[in-house]
C-alpha cells in the first residue's frame, strides 16, 4: 500500500522553489468566513478586509502545521486560553493560494492553523504538548497516507520568546521519542516572517472548523503513543 502511495505522490515530497511556485494573485479569490463556529470569536481580527478589529489585549499568534489542517485546528481550539483558530496556508511562496493549488504542492505552503491565544507561556506550552503528541512529527512531508510538502509538520512563531519555547519543546520531545525508540523530528521550526513569503493566508470557508461541521469526517490525528510533558513554564 505504502509503495503505491509513493509511486503516485512521491513527487509531491520535493519542495518547490520560489522561482517555480505558482504565481498566485493579489487578493483572496474567495470570501472569508469571520465567525468561529465553535468559539464564536472573530477569526480574522486585524486582517479582516472590512471593519478590521484588534485581537484581545495580551494576544499572541502561533502557526501550527501537522498534516491535514482539519485535525490540527480541532486540537488547538480545545486548549484553554485559545481565543480563536482558523485553517489556512503558510510557509510557501504563492500569494493568496487556493486549496487546489496548495494540494498540488506547487505553492510551497503547508496546510496550517493560525492560533490566537492569551495566557502567555503556560498556554503556549499546553498548545505545543498537544501538537507534538497528536501527530507524527518524524515523517517528512507526510502524515499517515497524506503525502506531500503541504502535509509537512511545522511550527512558525511570531516572537523571539515563542521561538525559545518552541525550540525547547522540540528538544524535550525528541528526548521522549528517543526513549520510546521512535524516529527523529523533521518538523520545520521557523519565525513566520522567515517561512516562505512570511504570510499566513486564511483558507476557504468550507475548511473552517470542518470537523465541528462534519464530526464523522476524515481525520488522521490522535495520540501518537508518546506523551509530551513541557510543564507550565513561567506563566
Amino acid at each position: 500500500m505504502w509503495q503505491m502511495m509513493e509511486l503516485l505522490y512521491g513527487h509531491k515530497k520535493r519542495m518547490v522553489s520560489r522561482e517555480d511556485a505558482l504565481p498566485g494573485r493579489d487578493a483572496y479569490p474567495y470570501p472569508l468566513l469571520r465567525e468561529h463556529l465553535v468559539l464564536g470569536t472573530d477569526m480574522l481580527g486585524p486582517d479582516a478586509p472590512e471593519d478590521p478589529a484588534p485581537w484581545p489585549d495580551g494576544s499572541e499568534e502561533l502557526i501550527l502545521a501537522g498534516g491535514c489542517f482539519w485535525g490540527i485546528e480541532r486540537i488547538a481550539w480545545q486548549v484553554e486560553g485559545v481565543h480563536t483558530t482558523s485553517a489556512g496556508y503558510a510557509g510557501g511562496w504563492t500569494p493568496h493560494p487556493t486549496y487546489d493549488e496548495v494540494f498540488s504542492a506547487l505553492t510551497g505552503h503547508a496546510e496550517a492553523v493560525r492560533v490566537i491565544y492569551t495566557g502567555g507561556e503556560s498556554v503556549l506550552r499546553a498548545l505545543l504538548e498537544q501538537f507534538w503528541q497528536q501527530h507524527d512529527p518524524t515523517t517528512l512531508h507526510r502524515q499517515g497516507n497524506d503525502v506531500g510538502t503541504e502535509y509537512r509538520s511545522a511550527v512558525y512563531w511570531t516572537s523571539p520568546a515563542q521561538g525559545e519555547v518552541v525550540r525547547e519543546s522540540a528538544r524535550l520531545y525528541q528526548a521522549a521519542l528517543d526513549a520510546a525508540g521512535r524516529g527523529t523530528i523533521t518538523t520545520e521550526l521557523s519565525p513566520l516572517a522567515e517561512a516562505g513569503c512570511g504570510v499566513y493566508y486564511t483558507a476557504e470557508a468550507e475548511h473552517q472548523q470542518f470537523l465541528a461541521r462534519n464530526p464523522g469526517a476524515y481525520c488522521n490525528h490522535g495520540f501518537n503513543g508518546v506523551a509530551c510533558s513541557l510543564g507550565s513554564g513561567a506563566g
Side-chain angles (χ1 to χ4, degrees), residues 58 60 117-125 235:
E60 298 181 73
Y117 65 93
T118 58
E121 186 177 319
S122 62
V123 176
L124 174 59
R125 288 176 178 269

Side-chain angles (χ1 to χ4, degrees), residues 54-234:
W55 301 121
D57 290 344
S59 293
E60 298 181 73
E61 176 184 358
L62 185 72
I63 308 297
L64 301 174
C68 177
F69 46 16
W70 298 341
I72 291 292
E73 190 188 14
R74 181 167 63 179
I75 290 166
W77 79 54
Q78 296 181 74
V79 174
E80 185 175 357
V82 169
H83 171 70
T84 199
T85 63
S86 67
Y89 313 114
W93 305 111
T94 300
H96 297 97
T98 66
Y99 176 81
D100 288 341
E101 290 172 342
V102 173
F103 182 74
S104 75
L106 294 176
T107 71
H109 289 292
E111 289 195 13
V113 173
R114 179 196 230 178
V115 184
I116 305 298
Y117 65 93
T118 58
E121 186 177 319
S122 62
V123 176
L124 174 59
R125 288 176 178 269
L127 279 164
L128 291 170
E129 284 181 344
Q130 293 304 312
F131 170 77
W132 289 119
Q133 67 186 18
Q134 300 256 9
H135 82 297
D136 187 348
T138 71
T139 51
L140 182 64
H141 302 324
R142 175 171 67 86
Q143 199 62 212
N145 288 332
D146 291 335
V147 180
T149 57
E150 73 272 26
Y151 296 118
R152 68 187 182 272
S153 177
V155 183
Y156 304 133
W157 56 84
T158 58
S159 74
Q162 286 178 324
E164 292 180 7
V165 176
V166 171
R167 290 190 182 97
E168 177 198 17
S169 76
R171 291 193 295 270
L172 291 172
Y173 196 56
Q174 184 62 66
L177 290 170
D178 291 344
R182 300 283 284 271
T184 301
I185 289 173
T186 64
T187 305
E188 180 184 353
L189 305 177
S190 170
L192 176 61
E194 298 176 12
C197 65
V199 179
Y200 167 84
Y201 296 102
T202 304
E204 296 87 338
E206 59 264 32
H207 295 295
Q208 305 304 330
Q209 298 85 65
F210 185 88
L211 293 178
R213 303 172 194 276
N214 306 276
Y218 165 81
C219 178
N220 65 1
H221 292 88
F223 183 53
N224 63 21
V226 181
C228 180
S229 179
L230 303 179
S232 60

